[in-house]
């Protein structure tokens, strides 16, 4: 008996208990090391300023207060809770705090992702899936609202997949996740869409005579999920935001993250896609519903770069059970009780790593931060500024009204298309018309923008500043305001 007690006390942590914590902590530490990388998007600036506005006014905006081109037009912020969180963290801990909370959300998502995969897969296959997901998600690991919902998305999808794997009842316990999701980010319609495959697979599992019973089983859950998704200050309106974004049409091609995948050169997405096709050709049989889900996710990822996130974090969950049956499942369930102690150790490590991160001087990427250009040209008093799209977030943060920024749903497809065609000199005449129509007093553009060279040649415009980040032109006869 004594030998058994000693043996139990010194039993090492199992790989299955260690792996979720290890993955989460490693990703968290790596993201903190690469801190400025998470601040490489101009929308990080604007989300914080919107959060400040909400906190200062004690309400949510119903019209645009940040631009001059669309000032007063109807606009709602469908990510208000994320913006308040980011603004509060920024006020308390500055940019290092913003990086820390974004990194923690991503790390938590991957820790949960690992945990859920381990229910069906071996540790080795799980780790391969995690590495593939990290590669796909890496370009979109940014301090923006979407990363705060990643843990919710993984948990919600895993709950539905568990029902599909085990033929269990709808996961009513997961419904509160949708209330949080819909207020953090406008992608909650995805959560509703994922109910469909669970219902369809439940129907296909039963004889047709049982279909009414199956539908009655899922109907209350689906209705409550829809109701939970509408529990926002704006009611159900955030559910329509993805449709508004996709409604931008051809203008999406001007926005990097909404462009289709680029296969003109070999990249991580292509390599993983080819590797996945090869792996599935090794005799893996997918149930029809799982195959349809993966095909749908692949379509979204091919159509828009940013949707590679969905393929990365959702497809493995739907593939886990079929892959486990083909290549071997998780084996025995560990019951050594090590997870509690490991969790405490992980929390301690998390606190230590966070402390080091908060002590660092982390700032947003310089290519979206034209601080010197604005300060040295007194741009805040130069009248209306025609700004580069990538500078819109910083101008909002700095309190300077923008011509355009990352709120595509506000500006609409025709406006975005016109702006980009003018600055790319595809329509030179419209560039001149744009400058006069909006009474532009100064421009703040990236040095690579074609319009910069044209402004250098126009007699009524003068280049007053340039560096590697931005070029400023002012009208020669524009009075200072």
């Amino acid at each position: 008996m004594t030998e058994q007690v000693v043996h139990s006390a010194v039993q090492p942590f199992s790989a299955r208990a260690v792996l979720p914590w290890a993955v989460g902590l490693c990703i968290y530490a790596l993201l903190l090391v690469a801190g400025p990388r998470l601040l490489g998007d101009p929308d990080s600036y604007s989300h914080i300023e919107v959060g400040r506005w909400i906190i200062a006014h004690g309400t949510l905006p119903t019209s645009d207060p940040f631009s001059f081109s669309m000032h007063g037009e109807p606009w709602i912020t469908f990510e208000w809770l994320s913006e308040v969180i980011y603004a509060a963290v920024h006020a308390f801990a500055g940019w290092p705090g913003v990086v820390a909370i974004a990194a923690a959300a991503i790390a938590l998502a991957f820790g949960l992702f690992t945990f859920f995969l381990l229910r069906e897969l071996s540790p080795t296959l799980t780790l391969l899936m995690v590495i593939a997901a990290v590669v796909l998600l890496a370009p979109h690991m940014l301090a923006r609202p979407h990363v705060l919902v990643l843990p919710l998305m993984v948990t919600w999808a895993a709950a539905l997949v568990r029902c599909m794997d085990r033929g269990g009842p709808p996961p009513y316990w997961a419904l509160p996740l949708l209330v949080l999701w819909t207020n953090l980010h406008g992608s909650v319609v995805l959560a509703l869409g994922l109910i469909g495959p669970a219902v369809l697979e439940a129907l296909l599992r039963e004889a047709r005579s049982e279909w009414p019973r199956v539908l009655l089983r899922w109907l209350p859950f689906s209705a409550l999920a829809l109701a939970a998704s509408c529990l926002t200050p704006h009611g159900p309106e955030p559910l329509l935001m993805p449709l508004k974004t996709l409604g931008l049409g051809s203008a999406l091609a001007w926005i990097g993250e909404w462009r289709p995948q680029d296969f003109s050169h070999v990249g991580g997405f292509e390599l993983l896609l080819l590797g996945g096709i090869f792996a599935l050709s090794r005799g893996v049989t997918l149930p029809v519903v799982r195959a349809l889900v993966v095909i749908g996710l692949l379509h979204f990822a091919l159509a828009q770069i940013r949707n590679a996130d969905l393929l990365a974090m959702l497809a493995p969950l739907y593939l886990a059970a079929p892959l486990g049956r083909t290549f071997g499942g998780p084996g025995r369930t560990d019951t050594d009780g090590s997870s509690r102690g490991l969790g405490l150790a992980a929390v301690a490590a998390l606190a230590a790593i966070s402390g080091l991160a908060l002590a660092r001087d982390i700032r947003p990427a310089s290519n979206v931060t034209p601080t010197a250009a604005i300060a040295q040209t007194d741009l805040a008093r130069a009248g209306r500024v025609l700004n580069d799209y990538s500078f819109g977030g910083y101008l909002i943060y700095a309190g300077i009204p923008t011509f355009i920024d990352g709120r595509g749903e506000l500006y609409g497809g025709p406006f975005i298309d016109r702006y980009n065609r003018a600055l790319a000199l595809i329509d030179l005449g419209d560039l001149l018309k744009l400058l006069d129509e909006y009474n532009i007093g100064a421009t703040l553009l990236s040095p690579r923008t074609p319009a910069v060279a044209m402004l250098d040649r126009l007699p009524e415009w003068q280049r007053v500043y340039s560096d590697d980040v931005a070029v400023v032109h002012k009208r020669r006869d524009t009075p200072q305001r």
Side-chain angles (χ1 to χ4, degrees):
M1 178 67 70
T2 305
E3 289 182 2
Q4 276 189 326
V5 172
V6 172
H7 176 71
S8 176
V10 299
Q11 185 175 5
F13 290 146
S14 67
R16 194 166 306 282
V18 170
L19 199 55
W21 296 105
V23 166
L25 285 174
C26 286
I27 289 177
Y28 184 64
L30 288 173
L31 289 175
L32 292 185
V33 170
R37 170 68 182 77
L38 273 70
L39 300 175
D41 190 280
D43 287 351
S44 296
Y45 277 119
S46 57
H47 288 308
I48 287 174
E49 188 56 33
V50 173
R52 286 174 173 171
W53 191 99
I54 293 171
I55 293 171
H57 292 80
T59 188
L60 303 184
T62 57
S63 61
D64 170 42
F66 300 113
S67 77
F68 65 83
S69 57
M70 293 288 173
H71 186 77
E73 291 295 313
W75 173 75
I76 64 169
T77 172
F78 54 95
E79 302 164 328
W80 71 272
L81 184 55
S82 293
E83 289 162 338
V84 168
I85 292 172
Y86 277 128
V89 170
H90 182 269
F92 176 73
W95 289 111
V98 173
V99 169
I101 193 170
I106 297 170
L108 176 59
F110 273 101
L112 292 169
F113 180 72
T114 306
F115 172 78
F116 294 133
L117 289 181
L118 284 170
R119 296 190 301 196
E120 304 292 342
L121 301 174
S122 67
T124 300
L125 192 53
T126 295
L127 194 55
L128 290 175
M129 289 283 195
V130 169
I131 293 171
V134 169
V135 172
L136 288 177
L137 192 63
H140 213 207
M141 291 182 181
L142 300 164
R144 286 172 45 185
H146 70 276
V147 303
L148 299 185
V149 303
L150 286 178
L152 305 179
M153 181 181 75
V154 169
T155 304
W156 174 259
L160 293 173
V161 171
R162 189 70 165 177
C163 295
M164 297 168 71
D165 292 339
R166 302 292 185 264
Y172 282 91
W173 62 267
L175 289 173
L177 298 177
L178 300 188
V179 180
L180 189 55
W181 187 339
T182 192
N183 288 284
L184 286 170
H185 193 252
S187 60
V188 73
V189 69
L190 169 67
L192 300 180
L194 292 178
I195 298 174
V199 176
L200 181 57
E201 188 156 292
L203 289 172
L204 295 179
R205 188 182 293 115
E206 302 289 344
R208 288 195 176 185
S209 60
E210 295 294 316
W211 284 10
R213 179 184 62 80
V214 173
L215 292 175
L216 287 175
R217 189 184 199 188
W218 281 90
L219 186 59
F221 175 79
S222 301
L224 288 173
L226 177 61
S229 301
C230 295
L231 294 178
T232 77
H234 304 292
E237 193 169 354
L239 289 173
L240 303 177
M241 295 312 300
L243 297 179
K244 290 185 178 181
T245 301
L246 294 176
L248 296 177
S250 61
L252 289 174
W254 295 104
I255 304 172
E257 64 182 346
W258 287 104
R259 292 172 186 160
Q261 294 289 339
D262 180 11
F263 292 108
S264 61
H265 60 276
V266 177
F269 183 90
E270 181 180 0
L271 292 175
L272 289 173
L273 177 60
L274 295 175
I277 293 172
F278 176 78
L280 292 176
S281 70
R282 299 296 89 193
V284 178
T285 301
L286 295 181
V288 62
V289 175
R290 310 295 176 101
L292 291 174
V293 170
V294 173
I295 290 171
L297 292 171
L298 180 59
H299 166 74
F300 289 139
L302 290 171
Q304 281 101 28
I305 291 174
R306 65 173 292 159
N307 288 332
D309 300 13
L310 306 183
L311 183 66
M313 303 300 284
L314 297 181
L317 297 175
Y318 285 88
L319 291 172
L323 290 176
R325 288 192 293 268
T326 301
F327 297 111
R332 70 177 181 85
T333 302
D334 297 292
T335 57
D336 59 13
S338 63
S339 294
R340 180 180 300 177
L342 186 59
L344 293 174
V347 170
L350 188 71
I353 296 172
S354 299
L356 293 174
L358 295 176
R360 293 178 59 198
D361 183 18
I362 300 176
R363 300 176 184 274
S366 60
N367 64 326
V368 297
T369 310
T371 307
I374 292 173
Q376 296 194 31
T377 61
D378 196 16
L379 209 58
R381 301 178 59 196
R384 292 181 166 185
V385 179
L386 177 66
N387 62 279
D388 194 280
Y389 179 87
S390 63
F391 298 151
Y394 182 77
L395 289 182
I396 290 177
Y397 180 82
I400 300 175
T402 63
F403 182 84
I404 194 170
D405 50 72
R407 297 170 295 160
E409 74 282 358
L410 168 66
Y411 295 99
F415 184 93
I416 296 173
D417 196 51
R418 181 191 181 190
Y419 163 83
N420 282 286
R421 287 174 60 84
L423 265 63
L425 301 185
I426 296 174
D427 192 337
L428 175 58
D430 199 42
L431 171 62
L432 304 178
K433 184 186 296 185
L434 205 66
L435 294 171
D436 293 334
E437 180 181 334
Y438 285 92
N439 191 27
I440 301 299
T443 65
L444 176 70
L445 302 174
S446 166
R448 298 179 300 278
T449 305
V452 168
M454 176 55 63
L455 289 167
D456 284 337
R457 290 166 173 77
L458 294 176
E460 63 270 32
W461 289 87
Q462 179 183 10
R463 181 188 287 224
V464 296
Y465 180 85
S466 65
D467 59 21
D468 293 338
V469 176
V471 177
V472 177
H473 287 83
K474 286 186 177 181
R475 283 191 190 267
R476 294 182 186 274
D477 58 346
T478 299
Q480 298 297 312
R481 301 179 184 180

